[in-house]
Amino acid sequence: MDLGIWHITPGTIYFLLLLLHVVFARPLFPLPSKTNEIEKRPLQTFRPYNIAHRGSNGEIPEETAAAYLRAIEEGADFIETDILASKDGALICFHDVTLDDTTDVASRKEFSNRRRTYEVEWFNVTGWFVVDFTLEELKTLKVKQRYPFRDQQYNGKFSIITFEEFISIALDASRTVGIYPEIKDPVFINKHVKWDDGKKFEDKFVDTLLKYGYRGQYMSENWLKQPLFIQSFAPTSLVHVSKLTDSPKIFLIDDISVRTQDTNQSYWEITSDDSLAYISNYVVGLGPWKDTVVPASKNYLIAPTDLVARAHAHNLQVHPYTYRNENQFLHLNFHQDPYAEYDFWINTMGVDGLFTDFTGSLHRYQELSSPHPKDETANSILVKIAQMISQYEGL
């Protein structure tokens, strides 16, 4: 074999390490020290946050160590995850309450009798549920890409990770990287998983964060050292955890057809001015599905709602989700250009953060359009000149 064709990069190295982890089934990430005094490059706070939605999952299967490492390499401000609980109460990073869509569970004969039907968020769902597997069993499953039109080469290479392993990835990064964990389906988890000490899912979630030093109000000294947003679609969970930690929280808002899982409220109820005034006592922002902020008809955006303006009037940030590069996700207004979509949401809608599957794309756009003043390049200056010219031509 001609070794001359191989080019070793940092990305190659960490993928090799991850593959070794799979082969030898040994922990890749030691749990982080709670007293890490190394001076790191701080989190940027001068432009909207780049939130790596389930890691860089446009490239690598979601919620895996590789996806989070890739997102950090590509410039994410925050790495985002969904926290669920196993049968034996371990907190894991996984989006769906069922394992069907993003693991190889269906091919595992030893688990063929675990298929169940449970009620989840007002509907009956059938599949292999996370809550019916111990952590040891979950660790034997291999993760795969959710969408068939994305890169499939990493299917079966990586395992499910725990909440603590996720935290270690952020804390062990060479620069300050925030975390953005979701209290996922707390009504369902509290119904099916019980802890010996009588605590709730939300309590265990916060206990883990406090164990590793995550505390402090938004923009406090401690928050800037270990940035964190706690997110949930369940307003009662956010109210509950507000009694346990002063870390900033984000109220997630689903499509207009979806009711809240805990209070059974409609989209219109939870986005009323009275509701925004109430929830602003507990959260620092909203995380809405972007098509509820600016609706679409026949794949074209129509007139924006006033949700961003009303949220800002209540001193609430707005972090919409989810931005994806593929044409099937881009509205026709953007002419198959993800940069045009970012430009619209940042400069026209004025949002404060964006959940994206393609961290690198958002980072490159922001580095061109709004670099740190100390890092301004000739390219970014040319972009600003072009923007000024286009504005002048539009007069």
Side-chain angles (χ1 to χ4, degrees):
M1 180 181 293
D2 181 7
L3 295 179
I5 66 172
W6 294 95
H7 301 282
I8 303 300
T9 67
T12 304
I13 292 170
Y14 78 66
F15 279 123
L16 289 172
L17 289 170
L18 286 165
L19 289 172
L20 286 171
H21 165 60
V22 171
V23 171
F24 295 106
R26 295 173 64 100
L28 175 62
F29 298 105
L31 296 184
S33 167
K34 287 183 280 185
T35 56
N36 187 349
E37 298 299 333
I38 299 174
E39 191 70 25
K40 296 183 178 182
R41 177 157 58 91
L43 177 76
Q44 72 78 20
T45 57
F46 69 94
R47 65 189 182 196
Y49 295 125
N50 182 337
I51 306 160
H53 182 241
R54 310 178 204 169
S56 188
N57 85 88
E59 302 174 62
I60 300 169
E62 65 187 50
E63 314 249 7
T64 59
Y68 291 121
L69 285 167
R70 178 63 170 159
I72 292 171
E73 181 183 55
E74 291 183 321
D77 298 316
F78 288 83
I79 51 174
E80 188 265 353
T81 192
D82 306 272
I83 303 302
L84 292 169
S86 66
K87 182 179 181 179
D88 50 347
L91 301 190
I92 65 163
C93 299
F94 203 77
H95 180 268
D96 301 353
V97 292
T98 57
L99 297 158
D100 305 40
D101 288 346
T102 56
T103 76
D104 63 350
V105 68
S107 67
R108 300 287 293 274
K109 293 181 179 179
E110 67 269 36
F111 299 135
S112 60
N113 64 346
R114 300 281 184 94
R115 209 159 181 261
R116 302 283 189 273
T117 298
Y118 294 134
E119 182 182 312
V120 184
E121 296 184 28
W122 316 108
F123 295 97
N124 285 332
V125 176
T126 299
W128 284 271
F129 285 83
V130 167
V131 294
D132 290 326
F133 290 74
T134 65
L135 177 61
E136 183 178 7
E137 291 170 332
L138 290 170
K139 282 287 192 180
T140 69
L141 300 176
K142 300 304 177 187
V143 182
K144 62 182 180 181
Q145 179 59 258
R146 179 179 296 272
Y147 296 113
F149 48 81
R150 289 182 174 171
D151 192 349
Q152 305 294 305
Q153 69 173 308
Y154 302 115
N155 289 353
K157 299 289 197 301
F158 309 116
S159 303
I160 293 170
I161 64 173
T162 66
F163 192 12
E164 288 188 298
E165 288 171 326
F166 168 82
I167 288 172
S168 79
I169 293 170
L171 292 183
D172 292 341
S174 60
R175 59 182 174 84
T176 301
V177 175
I179 62 172
Y180 208 128
E182 178 184 345
I183 306 170
K184 190 73 177 179
D185 282 295
V187 174
F188 178 81
I189 295 297
N190 281 316
K191 180 178 180 180
H192 293 277
V193 181
K194 304 298 179 185
W195 284 267
D196 291 339
D197 57 10
K199 288 190 173 184
K200 297 170 58 176
F201 175 41
E202 294 92 332
D203 302 326
K204 293 294 185 179
F205 178 98
V206 173
D207 285 349
T208 304
L209 293 170
L210 294 175
K211 176 181 176 181
Y212 291 103
Y214 285 94
R215 56 175 55 85
Q217 297 179 357
Y218 182 61
M219 288 295 177
S220 66
E221 182 180 357
N222 199 77
W223 187 88
L224 288 168
K225 289 180 179 178
Q226 293 183 217
L228 161 70
F229 288 110
I230 295 170
Q231 54 171 330
S232 182
F233 285 99
T236 56
S237 289
L238 293 169
V239 171
H240 178 73
V241 300
S242 292
K243 302 171 185 176
L244 308 175
T245 178
D246 59 352
S247 293
K249 301 152 198 78
I250 301 290
F251 179 34
L252 299 174
I253 298 175
D254 214 320
D255 195 10
I256 59 173
S257 63
V258 180
R259 303 182 73 84
T260 54
Q261 61 184 268
D262 52 345
T263 57
N264 197 24
Q265 291 174 288
S266 70
Y267 168 84
W268 310 108
E269 289 175 298
I270 61 175
T271 58
S272 69
D273 279 323
D274 285 346
S275 287
L276 294 182
Y278 168 76
I279 203 66
S280 67
N281 294 310
Y282 304 98
V283 305
V284 300
L286 307 179
W289 167 234
K290 61 187 176 70
D291 281 9
T292 66
V293 180
V294 184
S297 177
K298 298 180 180 179
N299 206 23
Y300 282 94
L301 295 180
I302 58 177
T305 69
D306 62 354
L307 182 60
V308 174
R310 290 193 297 113
H312 286 168
H314 288 280
N315 201 29
L316 294 170
Q317 297 183 42
V318 181
H319 301 172
Y321 66 93
T322 304
Y323 297 86
R324 298 178 168 114
N325 283 10
E326 293 96 350
N327 292 340
Q328 55 263 60
F329 296 120
L330 286 168
H331 293 305
L332 296 175
N333 312 64
F334 302 123
H335 308 291
Q336 301 179 357
D337 181 1
Y339 281 22
E341 183 178 37
Y342 293 140
D343 180 73
F344 170 79
W345 283 93
I346 292 172
N347 296 313
T348 301
M349 294 305 300
V351 299
D352 309 288
L354 303 91
F355 288 76
T356 177
D357 285 1
F358 293 88
T359 308
S361 293
L362 176 54
H363 182 70
R364 287 189 293 274
Y365 167 76
Q366 289 187 298
E367 286 294 283
L368 285 170
S369 62
S370 55
H372 192 285
K374 294 181 180 179
D375 300 327
E376 194 162 49
T377 64
N379 278 342
S380 63
I381 294 171
L382 287 173
V383 169
K384 288 185 177 181
I385 293 172
Q387 290 172 337
M388 293 170 63
I389 292 172
S390 64
Q391 290 172 358
Y392 175 78
E393 290 175 341
L395 293 177

